[in-house]
Structures are given as structure tokens and as C-alpha cells.
Amino acid sequence: MKAFNEQMEKESKKFFGERRVVFGEGKINAEIMLIGEAPGGEEDRLGRPFVGKAGKNLDEFLEIVGLEREDLYISNVVKLRPFKLSPKTNKPVNRPPNKEELDFFVPLLYKEIELVKPKLIVTLGNFALKNVLMNQKVSIGDYHGRLIETDGKKIFPLYHPASVIYDRAKGPVYIEDLHKLREIL
């Protein structure tokens, strides 16, 4: 994995300059791989996936499901923070990944999945689900909490941990989905 990360960082500098690459982390050959959208501000600052507000929710999710972070492999589809400058504050704010970022990072995500060889992929949010399934028409609302088997992969889509922060109404559904995941495990 170290060689893969070094190559990814070298190649990304050609396209994205000195922006920080936030690599996936965790146990190689982990049985479970979690995949989110992209790093946010805190992840970019610390160089680790899921350590900001969504990471706190992820920690709660892991506790409910009975998993330890060190037993997993955690990554994102895009491995650098997509941002724009806020017109009000002139500070970086998150934005959706653009086509250039997707074209560069999605093939690397598939390579990363091949290297980790998880028995189960848990996608966190709509963006991760679409890119793992290679289908931009799917919706997390239709697939959350259901085990999907495709191309020899088992995928369990969940709402993104951050979505519960911004939409408290999703909380009970999210908890129910976590209990379904726990049953599967």
C-alpha cells in the first residue's frame, strides 16, 4: 500500500499541485472497507480520513455496530479536499468533487479496493455509492440499509455520517441501518 500511496501522491502533484492527499488508512486486508466522498477541512489539516465532525459521528456508528477503527480500512473516493473560496469570508469551504478530480481518483479507488480486498464495502453517502457501483443514476435513498452484491463485491450503503448532522430526521433511519449492518456482520 505504501508504494501505491507514494505513486498516487506523485501523480496527483502533476494535476493538483501541492494540495494535500489524504490517503486511506487502516488494516490492509481488512474485512470491512468504509468509503466516503472526500476529505473536509479537518481531514485536510490532519491528513487523515474521517477525523472532523463526520468522523465523530463515524466513531458513534462504529460503537453501535461493535467495530474498532483499527480493524477497518477507511478511505474516500476523492483523496484531496474539494473546496472553493467563500465569497463572504474568502476562506475555503467544501464543494462537490469536479470531473477532473473524479477522472483522476475514481480509478485509483478501484485499485485501492483491489489492494485491500475487503469482504464488505460500506459506502457512506450518495456520492460514494454512485462511484463504487459505477452508476450515477442510483440514489442512497433507494439503497441505504440493503446489502448489494455485484461484480463479486458485497456493498452495504449507509447515509453519510455528516448527513445526520445536517438532517436530524435521518437519525432514526441511520440507527436502524446500523443495526441491520450489525446483523450482517
Side-chain angles (χ1 to χ4, degrees):
M1 189 61 77
K2 183 178 178 185
F4 171 74
N5 287 346
E6 287 171 355
Q7 185 64 33
M8 183 184 357
E9 185 167 39
K10 180 179 172 186
E11 292 296 319
S12 75
K13 288 190 186 306
K14 293 178 189 175
F15 292 96
F16 306 109
E18 293 301 316
R19 291 173 61 192
R20 181 179 212 152
V21 177
V22 178
F23 299 110
E25 69 176 25
K27 185 176 176 182
I28 303 304
N29 297 320
E31 291 191 12
I32 302 168
M33 182 174 183
L34 305 180
I35 302 173
E37 179 175 330
E42 195 66 8
E43 290 79 7
D44 183 50
R45 187 177 75 76
L46 296 174
R48 296 186 60 215
F50 284 92
V51 292
K53 288 179 185 176
K56 286 183 177 55
N57 278 21
L58 179 64
D59 291 341
E60 291 172 15
F61 141 46
L62 294 175
E63 189 174 318
I64 290 168
V65 179
L67 295 171
E68 298 291 328
R69 190 175 174 118
E70 51 272 0
D71 293 330
L72 310 171
Y73 189 87
I74 302 173
S75 193
N76 284 298
V77 175
V78 171
K79 304 201 181 339
L80 51 81
R81 181 186 184 194
F83 71 91
K84 61 183 178 184
L85 295 179
S86 167
K88 292 180 182 177
T89 64
N90 204 34
K91 292 183 179 181
V93 294
N94 296 340
R95 62 160 170 77
N98 63 32
K99 182 177 179 346
E100 180 184 26
E101 292 158 344
L102 286 172
D103 289 347
F104 182 81
F105 284 107
V106 169
L108 294 171
L109 173 66
Y110 300 138
K111 178 69 174 165
E112 189 175 31
I113 292 169
E114 286 176 26
L115 291 169
V116 175
K117 297 178 183 76
K119 290 182 180 169
L120 179 67
I121 297 170
V122 177
T123 58
L124 303 172
N126 208 36
F127 187 85
L129 175 64
K130 289 176 184 237
N131 286 286
V132 168
L133 290 180
M134 295 185 271
N135 181 346
Q136 297 302 307
K137 294 180 181 178
V138 297
S139 169
I140 189 69
D142 295 333
Y143 286 89
H144 71 89
R146 292 186 4 207
L147 184 64
I148 301 168
E149 295 189 44
T150 182
D151 297 328
K153 294 181 184 81
K154 290 183 179 183
I155 301 164
F156 191 87
L158 287 172
Y159 283 109
H160 194 285
S163 70
V164 180
I165 296 169
Y166 304 114
D167 183 357
R168 291 288 176 195
K170 284 187 179 137
V173 173
Y174 184 72
I175 298 298
E176 183 180 322
D177 289 350
L178 292 177
H179 288 291
K180 288 178 187 175
L181 176 59
R182 185 178 181 136
E183 288 174 23
I184 289 169
L185 299 176

